[in-house]
PDB file of all heavy atoms in Angstrom:
ATOM      1  N   THR A  26      33.479 -20.182 -69.779  1.00 98.00           N
ATOM      2  CA  THR A  26      34.824 -19.826 -69.187  1.00 98.00           C
ATOM      3  C   THR A  26      35.361 -21.116 -68.617  1.00 98.00           C
ATOM      4  O   THR A  26      34.660 -22.184 -68.571  1.00 98.00           O
ATOM      5  CB  THR A  26      34.697 -18.719 -68.092  1.00 98.00           C
ATOM      6  OG1 THR A  26      34.308 -19.312 -66.866  1.00 98.00           O
ATOM      7  CG2 THR A  26      33.813 -17.573 -68.507  1.00 98.00           C
ATOM      8  N   THR A  28      35.580 -21.716 -65.610  1.00 98.00           N
ATOM      9  CA  THR A  28      34.825 -21.988 -64.380  1.00 98.00           C
ATOM     10  C   THR A  28      33.468 -22.414 -64.690  1.00 98.00           C
ATOM     11  O   THR A  28      33.098 -23.650 -64.492  1.00 98.00           O
ATOM     12  CB  THR A  28      34.855 -20.751 -63.447  1.00 98.00           C
ATOM     13  OG1 THR A  28      34.231 -19.672 -64.098  1.00 98.00           O
ATOM     14  CG2 THR A  28      36.251 -20.384 -62.983  1.00 98.00           C
ATOM     15  N   VAL A  29      32.596 -21.483 -65.095  1.00 98.00           N
ATOM     16  CA  VAL A  29      31.243 -21.795 -65.427  1.00 98.00           C
ATOM     17  C   VAL A  29      30.856 -20.934 -66.692  1.00 98.00           C
ATOM     18  O   VAL A  29      31.631 -20.052 -67.047  1.00 98.00           O
ATOM     19  CB  VAL A  29      30.280 -21.459 -64.271  1.00 98.00           C
ATOM     20  CG1 VAL A  29      30.535 -22.356 -63.076  1.00 98.00           C
ATOM     21  CG2 VAL A  29      30.211 -20.006 -63.915  1.00 98.00           C
ATOM     22  N   TYR A  30      29.667 -21.152 -67.282  1.00 98.00           N
ATOM     23  CA  TYR A  30      29.201 -20.242 -68.357  1.00 98.00           C
ATOM     24  C   TYR A  30      28.855 -18.829 -67.812  1.00 98.00           C
ATOM     25  O   TYR A  30      28.262 -18.765 -66.715  1.00 98.00           O
ATOM     26  CB  TYR A  30      28.052 -20.837 -69.130  1.00 98.00           C
ATOM     27  CG  TYR A  30      28.477 -21.867 -70.166  1.00 98.00           C
ATOM     28  CD1 TYR A  30      28.881 -23.120 -69.805  1.00 98.00           C
ATOM     29  CD2 TYR A  30      28.498 -21.518 -71.555  1.00 98.00           C
ATOM     30  CE1 TYR A  30      29.281 -24.025 -70.794  1.00 98.00           C
ATOM     31  CE2 TYR A  30      28.885 -22.414 -72.464  1.00 98.00           C
ATOM     32  CZ  TYR A  30      29.261 -23.638 -72.091  1.00 98.00           C
ATOM     33  OH  TYR A  30      29.675 -24.586 -73.052  1.00 98.00           O
ATOM     34  N   GLY A  31      29.246 -17.806 -68.556  1.00 98.00           N
ATOM     35  CA  GLY A  31      28.864 -16.481 -68.195  1.00 98.00           C
ATOM     36  C   GLY A  31      27.785 -15.945 -69.109  1.00 98.00           C
ATOM     37  O   GLY A  31      27.618 -16.376 -70.292  1.00 98.00           O
ATOM     38  N   LYS A  49      18.295 -12.603 -65.766  1.00 94.00           N
ATOM     39  CA  LYS A  49      18.545 -13.470 -64.641  1.00 94.00           C
ATOM     40  C   LYS A  49      17.517 -13.436 -63.531  1.00 94.00           C
ATOM     41  O   LYS A  49      17.477 -14.286 -62.677  1.00 94.00           O
ATOM     42  CB  LYS A  49      19.934 -13.097 -64.012  1.00 94.00           C
ATOM     43  CG  LYS A  49      21.127 -13.676 -64.731  1.00 94.00           C
ATOM     44  CD  LYS A  49      22.392 -13.413 -63.958  1.00 94.00           C
ATOM     45  CE  LYS A  49      22.489 -14.071 -62.617  1.00 94.00           C
ATOM     46  NZ  LYS A  49      23.461 -15.173 -62.472  1.00 94.00           N
ATOM     47  N   ARG A  51      17.723 -11.034 -61.350  1.00 90.00           N
ATOM     48  CA  ARG A  51      18.619 -10.708 -60.264  1.00 90.00           C
ATOM     49  C   ARG A  51      18.377  -9.292 -59.759  1.00 90.00           C
ATOM     50  O   ARG A  51      18.099  -8.396 -60.551  1.00 90.00           O
ATOM     51  CB  ARG A  51      20.078 -10.817 -60.832  1.00 90.00           C
ATOM     52  CG  ARG A  51      21.164 -10.770 -59.809  1.00 90.00           C
ATOM     53  CD  ARG A  51      22.467 -10.599 -60.568  1.00 90.00           C
ATOM     54  NE  ARG A  51      23.508 -11.453 -60.020  1.00 90.00           N
ATOM     55  CZ  ARG A  51      24.809 -11.172 -60.069  1.00 90.00           C
ATOM     56  NH1 ARG A  51      25.268 -10.104 -60.643  1.00 90.00           N
ATOM     57  NH2 ARG A  51      25.703 -12.002 -59.610  1.00 90.00           N
ATOM     58  N   HIS A  55      23.125  -5.751 -57.524  1.00 92.00           N
ATOM     59  CA  HIS A  55      24.254  -6.678 -57.331  1.00 92.00           C
ATOM     60  C   HIS A  55      25.309  -6.456 -58.377  1.00 92.00           C
ATOM     61  O   HIS A  55      25.041  -6.367 -59.569  1.00 92.00           O
ATOM     62  CB  HIS A  55      23.720  -8.185 -57.567  1.00 92.00           C
ATOM     63  CG  HIS A  55      23.069  -8.745 -56.339  1.00 92.00           C
ATOM     64  ND1 HIS A  55      23.282 -10.025 -55.886  1.00 92.00           N
ATOM     65  CD2 HIS A  55      22.282  -8.177 -55.433  1.00 92.00           C
ATOM     66  CE1 HIS A  55      22.630 -10.263 -54.828  1.00 92.00           C
ATOM     67  NE2 HIS A  55      22.015  -9.129 -54.536  1.00 92.00           N
ATOM     68  N   PRO A  56      26.574  -6.368 -57.979  1.00 95.00           N
ATOM     69  CA  PRO A  56      27.657  -6.093 -58.945  1.00 95.00           C
ATOM     70  C   PRO A  56      27.949  -7.306 -59.779  1.00 95.00           C
ATOM     71  O   PRO A  56      27.709  -8.437 -59.378  1.00 95.00           O
ATOM     72  CB  PRO A  56      28.860  -5.673 -58.109  1.00 95.00           C
ATOM     73  CG  PRO A  56      28.564  -6.396 -56.780  1.00 95.00           C
ATOM     74  CD  PRO A  56      27.083  -6.460 -56.619  1.00 95.00           C
ATOM     75  N   VAL A  57      28.528  -7.061 -60.975  1.00 97.00           N
ATOM     76  CA  VAL A  57      28.965  -8.192 -61.864  1.00 97.00           C
ATOM     77  C   VAL A  57      30.435  -8.104 -62.092  1.00 97.00           C
ATOM     78  O   VAL A  57      30.994  -7.088 -61.969  1.00 97.00           O
ATOM     79  CB  VAL A  57      28.190  -8.161 -63.258  1.00 97.00           C
ATOM     80  CG1 VAL A  57      26.731  -8.457 -63.055  1.00 97.00           C
ATOM     81  CG2 VAL A  57      28.373  -6.808 -63.937  1.00 97.00           C
ATOM     82  N   ILE A  58      31.006  -9.261 -62.476  1.00 98.00           N
ATOM     83  CA  ILE A  58      32.404  -9.345 -62.771  1.00 98.00           C
ATOM     84  C   ILE A  58      32.710  -8.815 -64.201  1.00 98.00           C
ATOM     85  O   ILE A  58      31.995  -9.181 -65.111  1.00 98.00           O
ATOM     86  CB  ILE A  58      32.942 -10.795 -62.612  1.00 98.00           C
ATOM     87  CG1 ILE A  58      32.746 -11.264 -61.155  1.00 98.00           C
ATOM     88  CG2 ILE A  58      34.349 -10.916 -63.085  1.00 98.00           C
ATOM     89  CD1 ILE A  58      33.034 -12.755 -60.952  1.00 98.00           C
ATOM     90  N   HIS A  60      35.063  -9.020 -67.287  1.00 99.00           N
ATOM     91  CA  HIS A  60      36.060  -9.941 -67.864  1.00 99.00           C
ATOM     92  C   HIS A  60      36.937  -9.194 -68.870  1.00 99.00           C
ATOM     93  O   HIS A  60      36.400  -8.589 -69.775  1.00 99.00           O
ATOM     94  CB  HIS A  60      35.373 -11.152 -68.558  1.00 99.00           C
ATOM     95  CG  HIS A  60      34.582 -11.963 -67.604  1.00 99.00           C
ATOM     96  ND1 HIS A  60      33.439 -11.567 -67.009  1.00 99.00           N
ATOM     97  CD2 HIS A  60      34.820 -13.281 -67.147  1.00 99.00           C
ATOM     98  CE1 HIS A  60      32.978 -12.538 -66.182  1.00 99.00           C
ATOM     99  NE2 HIS A  60      33.732 -13.582 -66.294  1.00 99.00           N
ATOM    100  N   THR A  91      39.209 -13.811 -59.355  1.00 98.00           N
ATOM    101  CA  THR A  91      38.595 -12.515 -59.488  1.00 98.00           C
ATOM    102  C   THR A  91      39.123 -11.619 -58.402  1.00 98.00           C
ATOM    103  O   THR A  91      39.203 -12.016 -57.281  1.00 98.00           O
ATOM    104  CB  THR A  91      36.996 -12.642 -59.353  1.00 98.00           C
ATOM    105  OG1 THR A  91      36.530 -13.482 -60.461  1.00 98.00           O
ATOM    106  CG2 THR A  91      36.335 -11.278 -59.376  1.00 98.00           C
ATOM    107  N   VAL A  93      38.664  -7.919 -56.411  1.00 97.00           N
ATOM    108  CA  VAL A  93      37.755  -6.828 -56.152  1.00 97.00           C
ATOM    109  C   VAL A  93      38.634  -5.628 -55.717  1.00 97.00           C
ATOM    110  O   VAL A  93      39.378  -5.724 -54.724  1.00 97.00           O
ATOM    111  CB  VAL A  93      36.716  -7.112 -55.018  1.00 97.00           C
ATOM    112  CG1 VAL A  93      35.943  -5.875 -54.661  1.00 97.00           C
ATOM    113  CG2 VAL A  93      35.782  -8.267 -55.534  1.00 97.00           C
ATOM    114  N   VAL A 104      27.559  -1.793 -63.380  1.00 97.00           N
ATOM    115  CA  VAL A 104      28.528  -2.874 -63.263  1.00 97.00           C
ATOM    116  C   VAL A 104      28.902  -3.046 -61.787  1.00 97.00           C
ATOM    117  O   VAL A 104      29.117  -4.241 -61.338  1.00 97.00           O
ATOM    118  CB  VAL A 104      29.866  -2.519 -64.102  1.00 97.00           C
ATOM    119  CG1 VAL A 104      30.998  -3.414 -63.667  1.00 97.00           C
ATOM    120  CG2 VAL A 104      29.568  -2.654 -65.583  1.00 97.00           C
ATOM    121  N   THR A 105      29.003  -1.964 -61.042  1.00 97.00           N
ATOM    122  CA  THR A 105      29.511  -2.103 -59.631  1.00 97.00           C
ATOM    123  C   THR A 105      28.395  -2.185 -58.644  1.00 97.00           C
ATOM    124  O   THR A 105      28.595  -2.287 -57.415  1.00 97.00           O
ATOM    125  CB  THR A 105      30.373  -0.870 -59.320  1.00 97.00           C
ATOM    126  OG1 THR A 105      29.522   0.267 -59.377  1.00 97.00           O
ATOM    127  CG2 THR A 105      31.474  -0.679 -60.307  1.00 97.00           C
ATOM    128  N   GLN A 108      28.715   0.560 -55.976  1.00 93.00           N
ATOM    129  CA  GLN A 108      29.794   0.510 -54.934  1.00 93.00           C
ATOM    130  C   GLN A 108      31.081   1.209 -55.493  1.00 93.00           C
ATOM    131  O   GLN A 108      31.189   1.480 -56.681  1.00 93.00           O
ATOM    132  CB  GLN A 108      30.158  -0.911 -54.636  1.00 93.00           C
ATOM    133  CG  GLN A 108      28.972  -1.715 -54.192  1.00 93.00           C
ATOM    134  CD  GLN A 108      29.393  -3.064 -53.751  1.00 93.00           C
ATOM    135  OE1 GLN A 108      29.732  -3.257 -52.595  1.00 93.00           O
ATOM    136  NE2 GLN A 108      29.378  -4.036 -54.590  1.00 93.00           N
ATOM    137  N   THR A 110      33.870  -0.203 -55.543  1.00 96.00           N
ATOM    138  CA  THR A 110      34.810  -1.246 -56.007  1.00 96.00           C
ATOM    139  C   THR A 110      34.301  -1.874 -57.307  1.00 96.00           C
ATOM    140  O   THR A 110      33.098  -1.778 -57.612  1.00 96.00           O
ATOM    141  CB  THR A 110      34.943  -2.358 -54.960  1.00 96.00           C
ATOM    142  OG1 THR A 110      33.633  -2.838 -54.644  1.00 96.00           O
ATOM    143  CG2 THR A 110      35.589  -1.778 -53.720  1.00 96.00           C
ATOM    144  N   VAL A 111      35.198  -2.581 -57.990  1.00 97.00           N
ATOM    145  CA  VAL A 111      34.851  -3.329 -59.165  1.00 97.00           C
ATOM    146  C   VAL A 111      35.526  -4.680 -59.129  1.00 97.00           C
ATOM    147  O   VAL A 111      36.664  -4.823 -58.633  1.00 97.00           O
ATOM    148  CB  VAL A 111      35.227  -2.562 -60.456  1.00 97.00           C
ATOM    149  CG1 VAL A 111      36.741  -2.371 -60.554  1.00 97.00           C
ATOM    150  CG2 VAL A 111      34.692  -3.238 -61.742  1.00 97.00           C
ATOM    151  N   ALA A 112      34.794  -5.719 -59.627  1.00 98.00           N
ATOM    152  CA  ALA A 112      35.358  -7.082 -59.668  1.00 98.00           C
ATOM    153  C   ALA A 112      35.845  -7.352 -61.099  1.00 98.00           C
ATOM    154  O   ALA A 112      35.057  -7.089 -62.025  1.00 98.00           O
ATOM    155  CB  ALA A 112      34.325  -8.131 -59.283  1.00 98.00           C
ATOM    156  N   ARG A 114      38.316 -10.022 -63.765  1.00 98.00           N
ATOM    157  CA  ARG A 114      39.150 -11.209 -63.972  1.00 98.00           C
ATOM    158  C   ARG A 114      39.458 -11.365 -65.433  1.00 98.00           C
ATOM    159  O   ARG A 114      38.742 -10.948 -66.282  1.00 98.00           O
ATOM    160  CB  ARG A 114      38.534 -12.423 -63.360  1.00 98.00           C
ATOM    161  CG  ARG A 114      37.563 -13.223 -64.194  1.00 98.00           C
ATOM    162  CD  ARG A 114      37.105 -14.467 -63.372  1.00 98.00           C
ATOM    163  NE  ARG A 114      36.305 -15.402 -64.160  1.00 98.00           N
ATOM    164  CZ  ARG A 114      36.819 -16.508 -64.760  1.00 98.00           C
ATOM    165  NH1 ARG A 114      38.144 -16.756 -64.743  1.00 98.00           N
ATOM    166  NH2 ARG A 114      36.006 -17.304 -65.412  1.00 98.00           N
ATOM    167  N   ALA A 134      29.933 -10.038 -66.897  1.00 98.00           N
ATOM    168  CA  ALA A 134      29.196 -11.368 -66.951  1.00 98.00           C
ATOM    169  C   ALA A 134      29.104 -11.966 -65.604  1.00 98.00           C
ATOM    170  O   ALA A 134      30.117 -12.369 -65.001  1.00 98.00           O
ATOM    171  CB  ALA A 134      29.872 -12.312 -67.950  1.00 98.00           C
ATOM    172  N   PRO A 135      27.907 -12.221 -65.096  1.00 97.00           N
ATOM    173  CA  PRO A 135      27.709 -13.128 -64.032  1.00 97.00           C
ATOM    174  C   PRO A 135      27.515 -14.550 -64.563  1.00 97.00           C
ATOM    175  O   PRO A 135      27.574 -14.701 -65.775  1.00 97.00           O
ATOM    176  CB  PRO A 135      26.337 -12.679 -63.391  1.00 97.00           C
ATOM    177  CG  PRO A 135      25.581 -12.120 -64.581  1.00 97.00           C
ATOM    178  CD  PRO A 135      26.607 -11.621 -65.611  1.00 97.00           C
ATOM    179  N   SER A 136      27.398 -15.523 -63.752  1.00 97.00           N
ATOM    180  CA  SER A 136      27.037 -16.837 -64.235  1.00 97.00           C
ATOM    181  C   SER A 136      25.720 -16.857 -64.936  1.00 97.00           C
ATOM    182  O   SER A 136      24.813 -16.139 -64.603  1.00 97.00           O
ATOM    183  CB  SER A 136      27.076 -17.836 -63.026  1.00 97.00           C
ATOM    184  OG  SER A 136      26.226 -17.389 -61.978  1.00 97.00           O
ATOM    185  N   ASN A 138      22.892 -18.296 -65.110  1.00 96.00           N
ATOM    186  CA  ASN A 138      21.756 -19.032 -64.502  1.00 96.00           C
ATOM    187  C   ASN A 138      20.770 -18.000 -64.005  1.00 96.00           C
ATOM    188  O   ASN A 138      21.047 -16.850 -63.881  1.00 96.00           O
ATOM    189  CB  ASN A 138      22.283 -19.844 -63.316  1.00 96.00           C
ATOM    190  CG  ASN A 138      23.075 -19.045 -62.373  1.00 96.00           C
ATOM    191  OD1 ASN A 138      24.285 -18.817 -62.622  1.00 96.00           O
ATOM    192  ND2 ASN A 138      22.494 -18.580 -61.250  1.00 96.00           N
ATOM    193  N   LEU A 172      33.349 -24.922 -61.056  1.00 98.00           N
ATOM    194  CA  LEU A 172      32.945 -24.103 -59.901  1.00 98.00           C
ATOM    195  C   LEU A 172      33.463 -22.680 -60.212  1.00 98.00           C
ATOM    196  O   LEU A 172      34.484 -22.493 -60.882  1.00 98.00           O
ATOM    197  CB  LEU A 172      33.559 -24.545 -58.592  1.00 98.00           C
ATOM    198  CG  LEU A 172      33.066 -25.951 -58.072  1.00 98.00           C
ATOM    199  CD1 LEU A 172      33.768 -26.201 -56.757  1.00 98.00           C
ATOM    200  CD2 LEU A 172      31.524 -25.978 -57.856  1.00 98.00           C
ATOM    201  N   GLU A 173      32.729 -21.656 -59.662  1.00 98.00           N
ATOM    202  CA  GLU A 173      33.081 -20.269 -59.895  1.00 98.00           C
ATOM    203  C   GLU A 173      34.451 -19.900 -59.432  1.00 98.00           C
ATOM    204  O   GLU A 173      34.998 -20.505 -58.448  1.00 98.00           O
ATOM    205  CB  GLU A 173      32.001 -19.330 -59.310  1.00 98.00           C
ATOM    206  CG  GLU A 173      30.629 -19.585 -59.749  1.00 98.00           C
ATOM    207  CD  GLU A 173      29.930 -20.798 -58.963  1.00 98.00           C
ATOM    208  OE1 GLU A 173      30.634 -21.409 -58.167  1.00 98.00           O
ATOM    209  OE2 GLU A 173      28.744 -21.021 -59.263  1.00 98.00           O
ATOM    210  N   SER A 174      34.940 -18.809 -59.916  1.00 98.00           N
ATOM    211  CA  SER A 174      36.291 -18.318 -59.566  1.00 98.00           C
ATOM    212  C   SER A 174      36.461 -17.974 -58.072  1.00 98.00           C
ATOM    213  O   SER A 174      35.488 -17.618 -57.420  1.00 98.00           O
ATOM    214  CB  SER A 174      36.587 -17.050 -60.371  1.00 98.00           C
ATOM    215  OG  SER A 174      35.725 -16.034 -60.137  1.00 98.00           O
ATOM    216  N   ILE A 176      37.275 -15.444 -55.339  1.00 98.00           N
ATOM    217  CA  ILE A 176      37.223 -13.985 -55.300  1.00 98.00           C
ATOM    218  C   ILE A 176      38.059 -13.462 -54.154  1.00 98.00           C
ATOM    219  O   ILE A 176      37.846 -13.886 -52.972  1.00 98.00           O
ATOM    220  CB  ILE A 176      35.740 -13.458 -55.094  1.00 98.00           C
ATOM    221  CG1 ILE A 176      34.883 -13.940 -56.285  1.00 98.00           C
ATOM    222  CG2 ILE A 176      35.777 -11.942 -55.059  1.00 98.00           C
ATOM    223  CD1 ILE A 176      33.392 -13.501 -56.206  1.00 98.00           C
ATOM    224  N   GLN A 180      39.356  -4.337 -50.801  1.00 74.00           N
ATOM    225  CA  GLN A 180      38.798  -2.966 -50.579  1.00 74.00           C
ATOM    226  C   GLN A 180      38.959  -2.466 -49.168  1.00 74.00           C
ATOM    227  O   GLN A 180      38.836  -1.257 -48.920  1.00 74.00           O
ATOM    228  CB  GLN A 180      37.263  -2.932 -50.908  1.00 74.00           C
ATOM    229  CG  GLN A 180      36.334  -3.707 -50.004  1.00 74.00           C
ATOM    230  CD  GLN A 180      35.713  -4.876 -50.706  1.00 74.00           C
ATOM    231  OE1 GLN A 180      36.433  -5.809 -51.074  1.00 74.00           O
ATOM    232  NE2 GLN A 180      34.398  -4.954 -50.860  1.00 74.00           N
ATOM    233  N   LEU A 187      36.558 -13.677 -50.581  1.00 95.00           N
ATOM    234  CA  LEU A 187      35.093 -13.592 -50.464  1.00 95.00           C
ATOM    235  C   LEU A 187      34.357 -14.838 -50.891  1.00 95.00           C
ATOM    236  O   LEU A 187      33.273 -15.135 -50.462  1.00 95.00           O
ATOM    237  CB  LEU A 187      34.567 -12.414 -51.226  1.00 95.00           C
ATOM    238  CG  LEU A 187      34.991 -11.019 -50.857  1.00 95.00           C
ATOM    239  CD1 LEU A 187      34.216  -9.960 -51.663  1.00 95.00           C
ATOM    240  CD2 LEU A 187      34.867 -10.767 -49.385  1.00 95.00           C
ATOM    241  N   ARG A 188      35.005 -15.544 -51.823  1.00 96.00           N
ATOM    242  CA  ARG A 188      34.418 -16.817 -52.324  1.00 96.00           C
ATOM    243  C   ARG A 188      35.533 -17.766 -52.616  1.00 96.00           C
ATOM    244  O   ARG A 188      36.396 -17.495 -53.458  1.00 96.00           O
ATOM    245  CB  ARG A 188      33.581 -16.542 -53.544  1.00 96.00           C
ATOM    246  CG  ARG A 188      32.923 -17.777 -54.158  1.00 96.00           C
ATOM    247  CD  ARG A 188      31.947 -17.398 -55.252  1.00 96.00           C
ATOM    248  NE  ARG A 188      32.731 -16.984 -56.515  1.00 96.00           N
ATOM    249  CZ  ARG A 188      32.132 -16.564 -57.600  1.00 96.00           C
ATOM    250  NH1 ARG A 188      30.850 -16.478 -57.677  1.00 96.00           N
ATOM    251  NH2 ARG A 188      32.867 -16.210 -58.643  1.00 96.00           N
ATOM    252  N   VAL A 215      28.115  -6.500 -48.343  1.00 47.00           N
ATOM    253  CA  VAL A 215      28.965  -7.434 -49.087  1.00 47.00           C
ATOM    254  C   VAL A 215      28.063  -8.340 -49.931  1.00 47.00           C
ATOM    255  O   VAL A 215      27.534  -9.362 -49.452  1.00 47.00           O
ATOM    256  CB  VAL A 215      29.830  -8.285 -48.181  1.00 47.00           C
ATOM    257  CG1 VAL A 215      30.737  -9.209 -48.967  1.00 47.00           C
ATOM    258  CG2 VAL A 215      30.714  -7.378 -47.276  1.00 47.00           C
ATOM    259  N   PRO A 216      27.836  -7.970 -51.153  1.00 47.00           N
ATOM    260  CA  PRO A 216      27.103  -8.829 -52.062  1.00 47.00           C
ATOM    261  C   PRO A 216      27.827 -10.136 -52.326  1.00 47.00           C
ATOM    262  O   PRO A 216      29.046 -10.189 -52.130  1.00 47.00           O
ATOM    263  CB  PRO A 216      26.894  -8.033 -53.305  1.00 47.00           C
ATOM    264  CG  PRO A 216      27.957  -6.968 -53.288  1.00 47.00           C
ATOM    265  CD  PRO A 216      28.494  -6.882 -51.847  1.00 47.00           C
ATOM    266  N   GLY A 217      27.138 -11.130 -52.814  1.00 49.00           N
ATOM    267  CA  GLY A 217      27.822 -12.368 -53.078  1.00 49.00           C
ATOM    268  C   GLY A 217      28.099 -13.225 -51.888  1.00 49.00           C
ATOM    269  O   GLY A 217      28.563 -14.334 -52.031  1.00 49.00           O
ATOM    270  N   SER A 218      27.712 -12.749 -50.727  1.00 51.00           N
ATOM    271  CA  SER A 218      27.938 -13.552 -49.547  1.00 51.00           C
ATOM    272  C   SER A 218      26.591 -13.985 -48.967  1.00 51.00           C
ATOM    273  O   SER A 218      26.597 -14.516 -47.874  1.00 51.00           O
ATOM    274  CB  SER A 218      28.708 -12.778 -48.549  1.00 51.00           C
ATOM    275  OG  SER A 218      28.102 -11.584 -48.163  1.00 51.00           O
ATOM    276  N   TYR A 223      23.194 -20.805 -55.452  1.00 79.00           N
ATOM    277  CA  TYR A 223      23.651 -22.010 -56.117  1.00 79.00           C
ATOM    278  C   TYR A 223      22.803 -23.217 -55.660  1.00 79.00           C
ATOM    279  O   TYR A 223      23.317 -24.311 -55.354  1.00 79.00           O
ATOM    280  CB  TYR A 223      25.124 -22.336 -55.702  1.00 79.00           C
ATOM    281  CG  TYR A 223      26.039 -21.157 -55.770  1.00 79.00           C
ATOM    282  CD1 TYR A 223      26.464 -20.525 -54.560  1.00 79.00           C
ATOM    283  CD2 TYR A 223      26.558 -20.679 -56.957  1.00 79.00           C
ATOM    284  CE1 TYR A 223      27.328 -19.418 -54.650  1.00 79.00           C
ATOM    285  CE2 TYR A 223      27.390 -19.574 -56.990  1.00 79.00           C
ATOM    286  CZ  TYR A 223      27.810 -19.002 -55.859  1.00 79.00           C
ATOM    287  OH  TYR A 223      28.712 -17.906 -55.899  1.00 79.00           O
TER     288      TYR A 223
HETATM  289  O1  LIG B   1      33.849 -17.899 -62.258  1.00 61.18           O
HETATM  290  C1  LIG B   1      33.203 -16.840 -62.195  1.00 61.18           C
HETATM  291  O2  LIG B   1      33.523 -15.900 -61.437  1.00 61.18           O
HETATM  292  C2  LIG B   1      31.958 -16.738 -63.097  1.00 61.18           C
HETATM  293  C3  LIG B   1      32.448 -16.667 -64.593  1.00 61.18           C
HETATM  294  C4  LIG B   1      31.265 -16.435 -65.514  1.00 61.18           C
HETATM  295  O3  LIG B   1      33.452 -15.664 -64.688  1.00 61.18           O
HETATM  296  N1  LIG B   1      31.170 -15.554 -62.754  1.00 61.18           N
HETATM  297  C5  LIG B   1      30.433 -15.510 -61.650  1.00 61.18           C
HETATM  298  O4  LIG B   1      29.734 -14.305 -61.527  1.00 61.18           O
HETATM  299  O5  LIG B   1      30.421 -16.384 -60.797  1.00 61.18           O
HETATM  300  P1  LIG B   1      28.567 -14.113 -60.521  1.00 61.18           P
HETATM  301  O6  LIG B   1      27.999 -12.763 -60.737  1.00 61.18           O
HETATM  302  O7  LIG B   1      27.586 -15.260 -60.568  1.00 61.18           O
HETATM  303  O8  LIG B   1      29.298 -14.072 -59.134  1.00 61.18           O
HETATM  304  C6  LIG B   1      30.161 -13.012 -58.853  1.00 61.18           C
HETATM  305  C7  LIG B   1      30.191 -12.687 -57.448  1.00 61.18           C
HETATM  306  C8  LIG B   1      28.852 -12.256 -56.965  1.00 61.18           C
HETATM  307  O9  LIG B   1      28.592 -12.905 -55.746  1.00 61.18           O
HETATM  308  C9  LIG B   1      29.006 -10.791 -56.708  1.00 61.18           C
HETATM  309  O10 LIG B   1      28.221 -10.292 -55.687  1.00 61.18           O
HETATM  310  C10 LIG B   1      30.508 -10.654 -56.413  1.00 61.18           C
HETATM  311  O11 LIG B   1      31.057 -11.558 -57.295  1.00 61.18           O
HETATM  312  N2  LIG B   1      31.000  -9.334 -56.711  1.00 61.18           N
HETATM  313  C11 LIG B   1      31.035  -8.751 -57.846  1.00 61.18           C
HETATM  314  N3  LIG B   1      31.472  -7.447 -57.808  1.00 61.18           N
HETATM  315  C12 LIG B   1      31.807  -7.301 -56.508  1.00 61.18           C
HETATM  316  C13 LIG B   1      32.250  -6.203 -55.723  1.00 61.18           C
HETATM  317  N4  LIG B   1      32.571  -5.067 -56.230  1.00 61.18           N
HETATM  318  N5  LIG B   1      32.468  -6.406 -54.426  1.00 61.18           N
HETATM  319  C14 LIG B   1      32.122  -7.580 -53.809  1.00 61.18           C
HETATM  320  N6  LIG B   1      31.610  -8.666 -54.489  1.00 61.18           N
HETATM  321  C15 LIG B   1      31.480  -8.477 -55.784  1.00 61.18           C
END
Side-chain angles (χ1 to χ4, degrees):
T26 79
T28 58
V29 300
Y30 276 76
K49 279 185 64 106
R51 191 191 224 206
H55 277 219
V57 292
I58 296 173
H60 295 70
T91 296
V93 174
V104 166
T105 65
Q108 305 188 85
T110 55
V111 63
R114 87 177 188 96
S136 50
N138 50 280
L172 294 179
E173 303 81 358
S174 60
I176 302 180
Q180 71 246 62
L187 297 189
R188 180 174 72 184
V215 183
S218 59
Y223 315 102

